[in-house]
Amino acid sequence: MKSEGDCYESAGKYIMDKCMFTPDDCNLILVHAEVTGQGPIDGLKYGHAFILDGDTVIDKSNGRNIEMPKQIYYKIGGIGANVYEYGFEDFRKNVLLYKHWGPWDLETESGY
């Protein structure tokens, strides 16, 4: 399976755009999580990135503009314990260290 999404880049760019000039006032959280696929990839566990703004998930991947309550998003995506959260400063440090949008710590069951 070849990765076709832009979730890590789109989530990274979103938090960067919103927090770059006001890092001390930015409460957004970048999330890298193992999700469970639906439709043609039903049951496949793979990595995905999105933003948390309080209890609201923001997902801008692949041109989407999804905003929904965290509880519903996590239920739909089958998101469990394999989740890494990064505030803006941790995001910035990881991008500079690894020279890519992620994932940095997340390892999934499928390797995707």
mmCIF file of all heavy atoms in Angstrom, residues 6 14 20 22 29 45 49 51-52 55 58 70 75 84 87 96 103 107:
data_model
loop_
_atom_site.group_PDB
_atom_site.id
_atom_site.type_symbol
_atom_site.label_atom_id
_atom_site.label_comp_id
_atom_site.label_asym_id
_atom_site.label_seq_id
_atom_site.Cartn_x
_atom_site.Cartn_y
_atom_site.Cartn_z
ATOM 1 N N ASP A 6 -2.004 13.437 2.582
ATOM 2 C CA ASP A 6 -1.134 14.554 2.953
ATOM 3 C C ASP A 6 -1.407 14.993 4.386
ATOM 4 O O ASP A 6 -1.165 16.135 4.745
ATOM 5 C CB ASP A 6 -1.340 15.715 1.985
ATOM 6 C CG ASP A 6 -2.713 16.377 2.128
ATOM 7 O OD1 ASP A 6 -3.589 15.830 2.815
ATOM 8 O OD2 ASP A 6 -2.903 17.457 1.539
ATOM 9 N N TYR A 14 -1.144 23.594 9.218
ATOM 10 C CA TYR A 14 -2.240 24.264 9.919
ATOM 11 C C TYR A 14 -1.762 24.809 11.263
ATOM 12 O O TYR A 14 -1.975 25.979 11.583
ATOM 13 C CB TYR A 14 -3.425 23.308 10.114
ATOM 14 C CG TYR A 14 -4.631 23.981 10.703
ATOM 15 C CD1 TYR A 14 -5.555 24.616 9.875
ATOM 16 C CD2 TYR A 14 -4.854 23.994 12.072
ATOM 17 C CE1 TYR A 14 -6.667 25.252 10.413
ATOM 18 C CE2 TYR A 14 -5.963 24.631 12.613
ATOM 19 C CZ TYR A 14 -6.864 25.256 11.780
ATOM 20 O OH TYR A 14 -7.967 25.892 12.313
ATOM 21 N N MET A 20 2.496 30.193 14.685
ATOM 22 C CA MET A 20 3.852 30.693 14.469
ATOM 23 C C MET A 20 4.115 32.043 15.147
ATOM 24 O O MET A 20 5.148 32.232 15.769
ATOM 25 C CB MET A 20 4.135 30.810 12.967
ATOM 26 C CG MET A 20 5.534 31.329 12.666
ATOM 27 S SD MET A 20 6.796 30.166 13.131
ATOM 28 C CE MET A 20 6.857 29.224 11.640
ATOM 29 N N THR A 22 2.112 33.576 17.471
ATOM 30 C CA THR A 22 1.549 33.689 18.825
ATOM 31 C C THR A 22 1.719 32.357 19.567
ATOM 32 O O THR A 22 0.745 31.821 20.096
ATOM 33 C CB THR A 22 0.060 34.074 18.768
ATOM 34 O OG1 THR A 22 -0.642 33.080 18.000
ATOM 35 C CG2 THR A 22 -0.149 35.446 18.179
ATOM 36 N N ILE A 29 -3.288 21.470 19.408
ATOM 37 C CA ILE A 29 -2.483 20.274 19.610
ATOM 38 C C ILE A 29 -2.449 19.498 18.300
ATOM 39 O O ILE A 29 -3.498 19.212 17.712
ATOM 40 C CB ILE A 29 -3.086 19.371 20.711
ATOM 41 C CG1 ILE A 29 -3.204 20.110 22.041
ATOM 42 C CG2 ILE A 29 -2.285 18.071 20.857
ATOM 43 C CD1 ILE A 29 -1.893 20.479 22.681
ATOM 44 N N LYS A 45 -5.171 -0.689 9.966
ATOM 45 C CA LYS A 45 -4.729 0.315 10.932
ATOM 46 C C LYS A 45 -3.547 1.064 10.335
ATOM 47 O O LYS A 45 -2.589 0.446 9.881
ATOM 48 C CB LYS A 45 -4.356 -0.359 12.243
ATOM 49 C CG LYS A 45 -5.561 -0.987 12.930
ATOM 50 C CD LYS A 45 -5.193 -1.505 14.302
ATOM 51 C CE LYS A 45 -6.375 -2.135 14.992
ATOM 52 N NZ LYS A 45 -7.425 -1.203 15.335
ATOM 53 N N ALA A 49 -2.796 12.155 10.871
ATOM 54 C CA ALA A 49 -2.518 13.379 11.630
ATOM 55 C C ALA A 49 -3.685 14.341 11.505
ATOM 56 O O ALA A 49 -4.314 14.449 10.445
ATOM 57 C CB ALA A 49 -1.240 14.040 11.116
ATOM 58 N N ILE A 51 -5.588 17.956 13.980
ATOM 59 C CA ILE A 51 -5.424 18.981 15.011
ATOM 60 C C ILE A 51 -6.553 18.884 16.029
ATOM 61 O O ILE A 51 -7.703 18.640 15.662
ATOM 62 C CB ILE A 51 -5.449 20.395 14.374
ATOM 63 C CG1 ILE A 51 -4.321 20.565 13.358
ATOM 64 C CG2 ILE A 51 -5.419 21.492 15.439
ATOM 65 C CD1 ILE A 51 -2.927 20.541 13.931
ATOM 66 N N LEU A 52 -6.200 19.102 17.286
ATOM 67 C CA LEU A 52 -7.203 19.253 18.341
ATOM 68 C C LEU A 52 -7.240 20.719 18.759
ATOM 69 O O LEU A 52 -6.198 21.314 19.050
ATOM 70 C CB LEU A 52 -6.842 18.425 19.571
ATOM 71 C CG LEU A 52 -7.265 16.973 19.599
ATOM 72 C CD1 LEU A 52 -6.788 16.327 20.896
ATOM 73 C CD2 LEU A 52 -8.747 16.809 19.437
ATOM 74 N N ASP A 55 -11.952 20.391 22.452
ATOM 75 C CA ASP A 55 -12.609 19.103 22.198
ATOM 76 C C ASP A 55 -13.079 18.972 20.755
ATOM 77 O O ASP A 55 -13.929 18.141 20.449
ATOM 78 C CB ASP A 55 -13.807 18.913 23.141
ATOM 79 C CG ASP A 55 -13.359 18.607 24.564
ATOM 80 O OD1 ASP A 55 -12.288 17.991 24.729
ATOM 81 O OD2 ASP A 55 -14.068 18.982 25.508
ATOM 82 N N ILE A 58 -9.904 19.080 14.000
ATOM 83 C CA ILE A 58 -9.817 19.763 12.715
ATOM 84 C C ILE A 58 -8.955 18.896 11.816
ATOM 85 O O ILE A 58 -7.814 18.597 12.143
ATOM 86 C CB ILE A 58 -9.196 21.169 12.869
ATOM 87 C CG1 ILE A 58 -10.049 22.018 13.820
ATOM 88 C CG2 ILE A 58 -9.027 21.837 11.503
ATOM 89 C CD1 ILE A 58 -9.385 23.297 14.270
ATOM 90 N N LYS A 70 -14.316 15.714 19.212
ATOM 91 C CA LYS A 70 -13.277 14.702 19.364
ATOM 92 C C LYS A 70 -13.867 13.321 19.622
ATOM 93 O O LYS A 70 -13.435 12.333 19.028
ATOM 94 C CB LYS A 70 -12.357 15.104 20.523
ATOM 95 C CG LYS A 70 -11.308 14.085 20.874
ATOM 96 C CD LYS A 70 -10.492 14.514 22.086
ATOM 97 C CE LYS A 70 -9.531 13.432 22.522
ATOM 98 N NZ LYS A 70 -8.774 13.831 23.709
ATOM 99 N N LYS A 75 -14.318 7.875 17.699
ATOM 100 C CA LYS A 75 -15.170 6.684 17.549
ATOM 101 C C LYS A 75 -15.203 6.241 16.087
ATOM 102 O O LYS A 75 -15.009 5.054 15.787
ATOM 103 C CB LYS A 75 -16.585 7.007 18.048
ATOM 104 C CG LYS A 75 -17.570 5.906 17.895
ATOM 105 C CD LYS A 75 -17.631 5.078 19.128
ATOM 106 C CE LYS A 75 -18.810 4.125 19.037
ATOM 107 N NZ LYS A 75 -18.629 2.979 19.889
ATOM 108 N N TYR A 84 -0.156 10.196 19.825
ATOM 109 C CA TYR A 84 0.887 11.119 20.268
ATOM 110 C C TYR A 84 0.398 12.534 20.041
ATOM 111 O O TYR A 84 -0.073 12.860 18.952
ATOM 112 C CB TYR A 84 2.198 10.885 19.504
ATOM 113 C CG TYR A 84 2.834 9.559 19.861
ATOM 114 C CD1 TYR A 84 2.459 8.397 19.203
ATOM 115 C CD2 TYR A 84 3.777 9.481 20.885
ATOM 116 C CE1 TYR A 84 3.019 7.177 19.552
ATOM 117 C CE2 TYR A 84 4.337 8.272 21.229
ATOM 118 C CZ TYR A 84 3.961 7.123 20.563
ATOM 119 O OH TYR A 84 4.507 5.928 20.914
ATOM 120 N N GLY A 87 2.233 19.873 21.375
ATOM 121 C CA GLY A 87 1.960 21.300 21.381
ATOM 122 C C GLY A 87 2.838 21.961 20.315
ATOM 123 O O GLY A 87 3.689 21.317 19.700
ATOM 124 N N LEU A 96 12.207 20.524 13.009
ATOM 125 C CA LEU A 96 13.607 20.920 12.839
ATOM 126 C C LEU A 96 14.560 19.729 13.001
ATOM 127 O O LEU A 96 15.534 19.600 12.266
ATOM 128 C CB LEU A 96 13.977 22.024 13.831
ATOM 129 C CG LEU A 96 13.308 23.377 13.591
ATOM 130 C CD1 LEU A 96 13.590 24.339 14.742
ATOM 131 C CD2 LEU A 96 13.751 23.983 12.266
ATOM 132 N N PRO A 103 5.244 10.929 10.567
ATOM 133 C CA PRO A 103 5.213 10.776 12.023
ATOM 134 C C PRO A 103 6.624 10.682 12.599
ATOM 135 O O PRO A 103 7.560 10.302 11.905
ATOM 136 C CB PRO A 103 4.454 9.467 12.234
ATOM 137 C CG PRO A 103 4.751 8.661 11.012
ATOM 138 C CD PRO A 103 4.876 9.666 9.890
ATOM 139 N N GLU A 107 4.164 4.391 15.708
ATOM 140 C CA GLU A 107 4.358 3.137 14.967
ATOM 141 C C GLU A 107 3.011 2.442 14.922
ATOM 142 O O GLU A 107 2.353 2.295 15.963
ATOM 143 C CB GLU A 107 5.400 2.255 15.649
ATOM 144 C CG GLU A 107 6.792 2.863 15.611
ATOM 145 C CD GLU A 107 7.840 1.955 16.240
ATOM 146 O OE1 GLU A 107 7.606 0.740 16.342
ATOM 147 O OE2 GLU A 107 8.883 2.489 16.634
#
